[in-house]
Amino acid sequence: MRPTTTRRWLRVAATLTLVALALSVWSLLWPSVVSIMIAMSVAQVLGVAAIGTFAVVLALELRLDGAVRGALGLRRDGGAGAGASREARRSDGP
Amino acid sequence: MNTLSLLDPGVWVALACFTPAGAILAWFLIASPPLTPATKLLLLLGIAILPLGGAVSTTYVGFEATTERHFCGGCHVMTPYTEDAETRTSTSLASRHSRNRMFGDQSCYRCHADYGMFGLAVTKLGGLGHVYHHYLGGYRAMPVDRFLDTIHIAKPFPSSTCTRCHSTETPRFEAVRDHQGALEALRVGELRCTGAGCHGPAHPFSKHRPGRVDVEPTVTATSGGAR
């Protein structure tokens, strides 16, 4: 996923969350039939959509991160991976 | 603003979660910081963790609010019922029970809630049906007089709700001769405490009124679930 796409989807998730928060606060400070019903339905749907969007973005980021590390033969701790080790063994031969 | 709601700790917990979450999200949207691991961690707090905590509190507060009598009276067709319950001089069952501290401001819910295993969910689903009928079923524009004449309770009020508090095994209950003869019918549901010949009707408007068509209703608004 390109960085601009990641940022765009994170902005979508943030905006959805902000709207959900606003609706929830409305029901807390000015409780009425309509505000409570909206907070317990629309706001919760928006919140779940935001968390889902965020989770998908994170999952794609992690997968991309893993693919890049795999291609470079790097371990997670920053050291040389399996490919690099093979190279090292070959150079240290008898 | 309903000042009572501000006394609820759930409101403060929700606000304590929502305020930093809103600040984080506003910062992200306005400042557009670089997407470093720290930024993503803050977004995890702002989008997922803090709002989840607030949502739990909001749901709790919301459920509590829906058990209040003024919530039921929020639909105009329920106004006569809630006004009668709040009238201190009324002798209706609903009003007398509303003056009991055990019922108080939640008197509609205390009597009309389903007390089965899935009672809360069943009651809330019934309430959603009321909302549907109110906004999409035409009751919103219906005059109160017409509502009282045409709308019936969805299913007979169960006496088991009464006997949750009023035991049928006390000497005082058994001393009433009518109770002795009616006890078996009461327990199998053939007779109801709120029947017109016994202690009912619970609301003054439940009586048979001249011109009222007492037929099995096809559409109901006041079901066993109060909301």
Side-chain angles (χ1 to χ4, degrees), chain B residues 133-157:
Chain B
H133 287 306
H134 184 75
Y135 286 104
L136 302 172
Y139 294 155
R140 194 176 182 190
M142 187 181 281
V144 173
D145 277 348
R146 200 174 141 217
F147 177 83
L148 293 175
D149 278 339
T150 54
I151 306 303
H152 301 244
I153 195 164
K155 58 183 180 182
F157 188 86

Side-chain angles (χ1 to χ4, degrees), chain B residues 139-218:
Chain B
Y139 294 155
R140 194 176 182 190
M142 187 181 281
V144 173
D145 277 348
R146 200 174 141 217
F147 177 83
L148 293 175
D149 278 339
T150 54
I151 306 303
H152 301 244
I153 195 164
K155 58 183 180 182
F157 188 86
S159 296
S160 57
T161 304
C162 309
T163 56
R164 285 182 75 247
C165 296
H166 301 284
S167 168
T168 56
E169 297 175 3
T170 60
R172 198 171 164 192
F173 179 88
E174 289 168 350
V176 179
R177 204 167 52 184
D178 286 345
H179 284 170
Q180 294 167 9
L183 194 54
E184 195 52 41
L186 185 70
R187 285 183 178 156
V188 297
E190 290 174 358
L191 198 63
R192 288 180 292 123
C193 305
T194 53
C198 296
H199 298 283
H203 303 279
F205 325 100
S206 313
K207 296 173 185 170
H208 176 85
R209 300 196 328 168
R212 175 173 168 166
V213 184
D214 277 332
V215 294
E216 202 59 33
T218 51

Side-chain angles (χ1 to χ4, degrees), chain A residues 3 6-7 10-11 13-15 17-18 21 24-25 27-34 36-37 40 44 50-51 54 58 61, chain B residues 1-2 5 14 18 21-22 25 28-29 32-35 40 43-44 46-47 51-52 59 62-63 65 71 74 128 131 135:
Chain A
T6 302
R7 179 174 291 280
L10 286 178
R11 288 179 75 88
T15 307
T17 311
L18 268 182
L21 294 187
S24 300
V25 170
S27 80
L28 290 170
L29 298 182
W30 290 277
S32 67
V33 175
V34 174
I36 290 172
M37 292 297 299
M40 293 175 72
Q44 300 219 357
I51 291 175
F54 184 66
L58 272 195
E61 282 276 296
Chain B
M1 184 187 295
N2 186 347
S5 66
F18 288 155
L25 296 176
F28 176 73
L29 289 174
S32 285
L35 288 176
K40 288 174 187 170
L43 284 177
L44 180 70
I47 292 176
L52 270 178
T59 304
F63 270 130
F71 184 87
L128 279 179
V131 172
Y135 286 104

Side-chain angles (χ1 to χ4, degrees), chain B:
Chain B
M1 184 187 295
N2 186 347
T3 51
L4 278 179
S5 66
L6 290 178
L7 298 176
D8 196 318
V11 174
W12 291 105
V13 171
L15 291 177
C17 290
F18 288 155
T19 306
I24 290 170
L25 296 176
W27 165 74
F28 176 73
L29 289 174
I30 294 169
S32 285
L35 288 176
T36 60
T39 306
K40 288 174 187 170
L41 196 64
L42 276 174
L43 284 177
L44 180 70
L45 275 175
I47 292 176
I49 295 173
L50 289 172
L52 270 178
V56 170
S57 298
T58 307
T59 304
Y60 165 75
V61 173
F63 270 130
E64 281 296 305
T66 60
T67 63
E68 298 283 336
R69 189 168 56 240
H70 72 80
F71 184 87
C72 307
C75 298
H76 75 290
V77 290
M78 283 290 123
T79 308
Y81 293 87
T82 54
E83 280 182 351
D84 170 65
E86 289 163 3
T87 304
R88 296 190 67 81
T89 52
S90 172
T91 56
S92 69
L93 270 186
S95 179
R96 280 185 281 153
H97 281 82
S98 297
R99 293 196 286 272
N100 185 323
R101 278 182 61 195
M102 289 288 289
F103 294 74
D105 290 337
Q106 298 182 327
S107 54
C108 306
Y109 181 78
R110 295 286 170 207
C111 287
H112 288 281
D114 189 305
Y115 288 99
M117 180 184 281
F118 304 108
L120 181 67
V122 169
T123 305
K124 297 305 171 192
L125 280 175
L128 279 179
H130 295 179
V131 172
Y132 170 79
H133 287 306
H134 184 75
Y135 286 104
L136 302 172
Y139 294 155
R140 194 176 182 190
M142 187 181 281
V144 173
D145 277 348
R146 200 174 141 217
F147 177 83
L148 293 175
D149 278 339
T150 54
I151 306 303
H152 301 244
I153 195 164
K155 58 183 180 182
F157 188 86
S159 296
S160 57
T161 304
C162 309
T163 56
R164 285 182 75 247
C165 296
H166 301 284
S167 168
T168 56
E169 297 175 3
T170 60
R172 198 171 164 192
F173 179 88
E174 289 168 350
V176 179
R177 204 167 52 184
D178 286 345
H179 284 170
Q180 294 167 9
L183 194 54
E184 195 52 41
L186 185 70
R187 285 183 178 156
V188 297
E190 290 174 358
L191 198 63
R192 288 180 292 123
C193 305
T194 53
C198 296
H199 298 283
H203 303 279
F205 325 100
S206 313
K207 296 173 185 170
H208 176 85
R209 300 196 328 168
R212 175 173 168 166
V213 184
D214 277 332
V215 294
E216 202 59 33
T218 51
V219 180
T220 54
T222 51
S223 73
R227 59 202 56 80

